[in-house]
């Protein structure tokens, strides 16, 4: 079974609008971390935001926020006021508990976001 | 830059030849990882290391080996390259600096012809 699922292969948004990129995860471990990365066309992986499973509040980093719904096992990324430079591939990833995971990250398939002027 | 470099950045090699990719860090982090990125699959873990000489297999380890003889270097070797190993390879380090995080190298684009 997929541990991380991103169901939107591609998304389009108008500049200055908000957009939500979906991510659902599957784990039985009570301790885990969820990450979002941005990969522009240049190829580098850029860290955006992190949410720990025990964090009570949704994480925010500037225009990025993570809509964490633990019971539904979803960790959607919300980008407010989209900019042309937000056009990129976005990956959701999960790190499961420390026990034997050694911090390994499992990634979703990615969502390509295109921002239109 | 966050103290992690990959080399080479690009490589074209022939089927059946051995290839070694290098990941070098300057910050003394314990955990290092090799991933490959292919369309439709996101990034998949090949091998990882949790210390000098401590390595283990990831999800897609067949055809790959790794070595970590020094904290700063994590080498990925394709013993006998095949066309299915044409991919973009990323190295990553795990950091604990206030907030947990991972930093990725710039990637190596490998083409096996």
């Amino acid at each position: 079974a997929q541990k991380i699922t991103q169901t939107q292969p591609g998304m389009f948004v108008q500049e200055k609008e908000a957009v939500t990129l979906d991510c659902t995860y599957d784990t039985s471990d009570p301790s885990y971390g969820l990450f979002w990365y941005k990969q522009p066309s240049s190829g580098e992986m850029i860290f955006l935001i992190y949410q720990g499973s025990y964090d009570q509040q949704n994480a925010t980093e500037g225009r990025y926020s993570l809509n964490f719904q633990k019971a539904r096992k979803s960790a959607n990324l919300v980008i407010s006021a989209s900019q042309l430079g937000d056009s990129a591939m976005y990956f959701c990833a999960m790190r499961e508990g420390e026990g034997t995971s050694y911090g390994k990250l499992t990634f979703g398939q990615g969502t390509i976001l295109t921002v239109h002027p | 830059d966050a103290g992690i470099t990959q080399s080479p950045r690009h490589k074209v090699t022939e089927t059946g030849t051995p290839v070694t990719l290098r990941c070098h860090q300057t910050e003394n982090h314990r955990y290092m990882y090799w991933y490959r990125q292919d369309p439709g699959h996101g990034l998949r873990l090949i091998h990882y290391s949790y210390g000098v000489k401590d390595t283990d297999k990831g999800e897609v380890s067949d055809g790959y080996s790794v070595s970590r003889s020094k904290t700063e270097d994590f080498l990925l070797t394709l013993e006998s390259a095949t066309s299915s190993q044409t991919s973009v390879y990323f190295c990553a380090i795990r950091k604990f600096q206030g907030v947990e995080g991972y930093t990725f190298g710039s990637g190596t684009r490998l083409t096996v012809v």
Side-chain angles (χ1 to χ4, degrees):
Chain A
Q2 288 274 25
K3 288 194 173 184
I4 294 282
T5 303
Q6 295 179 252
T7 57
Q8 307 155 314
M11 287 285 286
F12 296 89
V13 66
Q14 207 69 28
E15 195 178 7
K16 299 185 182 134
E17 298 291 316
V19 63
T20 297
L21 306 184
D22 294 341
C23 174
T24 58
Y25 60 92
D26 182 26
T27 182
S28 57
D29 199 315
S31 174
Y32 52 90
L34 296 158
F35 301 79
W36 277 93
Y37 286 87
K38 172 184 179 181
Q39 186 180 46
S41 57
S42 52
E44 70 266 35
M45 295 288 286
I46 301 169
F47 167 74
L48 295 178
I49 198 165
Y50 165 79
Q51 179 86 39
S53 59
Y54 295 119
D55 294 342
Q56 294 295 314
Q57 297 198 331
N58 288 344
T60 59
E61 290 284 351
R63 294 186 300 110
Y64 304 107
S65 61
L66 199 152
N67 184 359
F68 181 45
Q69 300 197 24
K70 196 168 182 176
R72 298 178 62 183
K73 294 189 175 178
S74 75
N76 298 339
L77 176 70
V78 181
I79 305 175
S80 63
S82 298
Q83 302 172 354
L84 296 178
D86 293 335
S87 293
M89 175 76 88
Y90 289 80
F91 289 104
C92 179
M94 176 174 65
R95 184 269 305 149
E96 292 180 275
E98 284 303 323
T100 56
S101 79
Y102 296 102
K104 295 175 286 184
L105 284 177
T106 302
F107 285 83
Q109 305 95 315
T111 296
I112 299 175
L113 176 67
T114 303
V115 181
H116 289 304
Chain B
D1 177 70
I4 178 171
T5 56
Q6 289 184 233
S7 58
R9 291 294 312 276
H10 302 271
K11 186 169 183 66
V12 179
T13 192
E14 292 187 349
T15 298
T17 59
V19 176
T20 295
L21 309 183
R22 182 184 185 227
C23 179
H24 178 78
Q25 61 151 324
T26 59
E27 299 178 348
N28 208 35
H29 295 289
R30 179 183 175 192
Y31 296 94
M32 299 183 75
Y33 311 85
W34 276 107
Y35 291 88
R36 62 177 286 174
Q37 181 179 9
D38 304 289
H41 291 278
L43 278 74
R44 293 179 292 173
L45 183 65
I46 306 171
H47 280 277
Y48 62 99
S49 171
Y50 45 96
V52 173
K53 291 187 168 51
D54 291 323
T55 65
D56 206 346
K57 297 178 180 180
E59 179 189 358
V60 290
S61 60
D62 286 349
Y64 302 94
S65 63
V66 289
S67 67
R68 193 166 178 203
S69 58
K70 299 184 289 185
T71 298
E72 58 265 36
D73 288 324
F74 191 31
L75 305 180
L76 176 71
T77 297
L78 289 65
E79 305 289 349
S80 176
T82 67
S83 58
S84 65
Q85 294 176 310
T86 292
S87 187
V88 179
Y89 292 85
F90 285 98
C91 176
I93 54 177
R94 187 185 186 195
K95 299 183 166 188
F96 297 90
Q97 293 171 341
V99 177
E100 175 184 1
Y102 298 76
T103 299
F104 286 79
S106 299
T108 295
R109 183 172 294 276
L110 177 68
T111 302
V112 183
V113 297

